[in-house]
Amino acid sequence: MAAAPEAKFTEEKVLWVKHRTPKLMTFAITRPEAYRFSAGQFSRLGFRDGEGYIWRAYSVVSAEYADTLEYFAVLIEDGPMSAKLAKMQAGDEILLDKTATGFLLPERFPDGKDLVMLSTGSGIAPFLSIIEQPEIRQRFERLVLVHSVSYADELIFNQRLADLKNHPLIEEHFHKLVFVPVTTRETTENALSNQRIPALLREGILEKHIGFTFNKADTRFMVCGNPAMVKDTFQALMDLGYTMHRNREPGQIMMENGF
């Protein structure tokens, strides 16, 4: 006999909600003591909807050791889940699937010295979790995080990343992290502007900006964002000689569409 739906999720409380722009929001919920995830994975969150449920996947922003679960959502016009999230307030109830999933995990790379994380929009979420893990700074000598958005007001995590230099578990290794904000539809101070990630790779602009050269022996790429960006970035990396990583065929690229 199949388990009842209620056996597969827990009911959690929304702790806070922040609307960063009309379309972008972050929020945190209570974390069950038994809930486990690996940095880079996503949760299924849901609401009761009439006699049924509505579920969507969202990558976890929080570190694995955090007491709460934080998420980043892009609100979609006329999206049923977005409509519920837009009205959500602290104290509301939200449903959490008991099992986290996803394979955007840096530990899947068997080697490499430099980890380059390429993201658009909400695709930055898993990388925010990854860079807070002590193991990632022990494993890689350099970490590069690229966040590409259309306009500067969508770069909502710049200050969070800058503040990591004072994080007790990160400050000693903060120098390993290079954050590269990108805006594609306007010129922005202290950001690469008016170019998409695939062009930044093909033309060597990203390498010049961060001050070192990528190579197959040392560089590992993780890509997460909208499907068009993931597809085009993958093609750009393949054109440069890199290959998809598979468990039986080690390569230099892992990718996932953003949740």
Side-chain angles (χ1 to χ4, degrees):
M1 181 180 295
E6 290 80 0
K8 299 180 180 180
F9 64 78
T10 58
E11 298 178 357
E12 302 304 323
K13 181 179 291 187
V14 178
L15 299 174
W16 54 259
V17 177
K18 296 180 181 178
H19 290 272
R20 309 289 185 150
T21 74
K23 293 184 178 181
L24 306 180
M25 64 181 291
T26 54
F27 59 94
I29 68 174
T30 52
R31 177 178 182 173
E33 186 174 346
Y35 191 78
R36 296 290 181 269
F37 71 95
S38 295
Q41 290 189 310
F42 54 86
S43 306
R44 282 208 324 146
L45 302 177
F47 296 95
R48 289 182 171 83
D49 188 41
E51 296 182 359
Y53 303 90
I54 182 171
W55 295 94
R56 294 291 186 273
Y58 294 92
S59 295
V60 185
V61 173
S62 312
E64 291 177 15
Y65 48 80
D67 294 330
T68 62
L69 297 172
E70 183 178 347
Y71 302 93
F72 172 31
V74 178
L75 300 179
I76 307 300
E77 188 174 359
D78 298 324
M81 187 69 170
S82 293
K84 291 185 177 295
L85 289 175
K87 296 186 294 184
M88 187 173 69
Q89 298 180 358
D92 288 350
E93 177 189 281
I94 193 168
L95 308 179
L96 172 69
D97 190 303
K98 292 181 179 179
T99 304
T101 190
F103 300 97
L104 195 69
L105 307 171
E107 58 265 32
R108 291 180 56 216
F109 286 126
D111 54 10
K113 296 180 181 179
D114 305 321
L115 182 63
V116 180
M117 296 162 279
L118 306 170
S119 66
T120 55
S122 61
I124 193 177
F127 300 141
L128 293 171
S129 179
I130 286 170
I131 63 176
E132 290 200 27
Q133 297 307 121
E135 297 84 359
I136 201 69
R137 295 180 297 280
Q138 297 165 6
R139 166 72 192 285
F140 292 97
E141 296 178 9
R142 291 181 287 205
L143 304 172
V144 178
L145 173 57
V146 178
H147 188 207
S148 178
V149 298
S150 296
Y151 302 101
D153 66 350
E154 299 169 54
L155 292 167
I156 65 173
F157 294 107
N158 289 20
Q159 190 59 50
R160 178 194 184 111
L161 290 163
D163 290 344
L164 289 177
K165 64 183 177 182
N166 298 316
H167 191 295
L169 296 179
I170 298 175
E171 56 184 352
E172 180 182 353
H173 304 281
F174 182 75
H175 65 280
K176 291 185 175 184
L177 175 64
V178 178
F179 173 54
V180 184
V182 177
T183 54
T184 60
R185 296 187 181 182
E186 67 180 11
T187 300
T188 304
E189 186 177 1
N190 299 320
L192 295 179
S193 302
N194 302 309
Q195 295 244 43
R196 296 174 66 235
I197 288 175
L200 297 177
L201 293 167
R202 283 197 177 96
E203 299 173 22
I205 297 171
L206 179 58
E207 290 169 294
K208 183 178 180 180
H209 181 76
I210 63 178
F212 69 89
T213 302
F214 304 146
N215 64 83
K216 288 192 286 186
D218 298 329
T219 312
R220 301 295 174 261
F221 298 94
M222 301 180 76
V223 186
C224 188
N226 68 71
M229 169 270 192
V230 172
K231 178 183 177 181
D232 293 347
T233 299
F234 179 50
Q235 185 62 56
L237 290 171
M238 287 198 301
D239 291 345
L240 292 169
Y242 301 101
T243 60
M244 174 70 82
H245 173 75
R246 296 179 174 86
N247 291 338
R248 295 185 180 181
E249 298 179 37
Q252 302 84 31
I253 309 167
M254 276 193 278
M255 60 187 188
E256 183 175 85
N257 290 336
F259 290 101

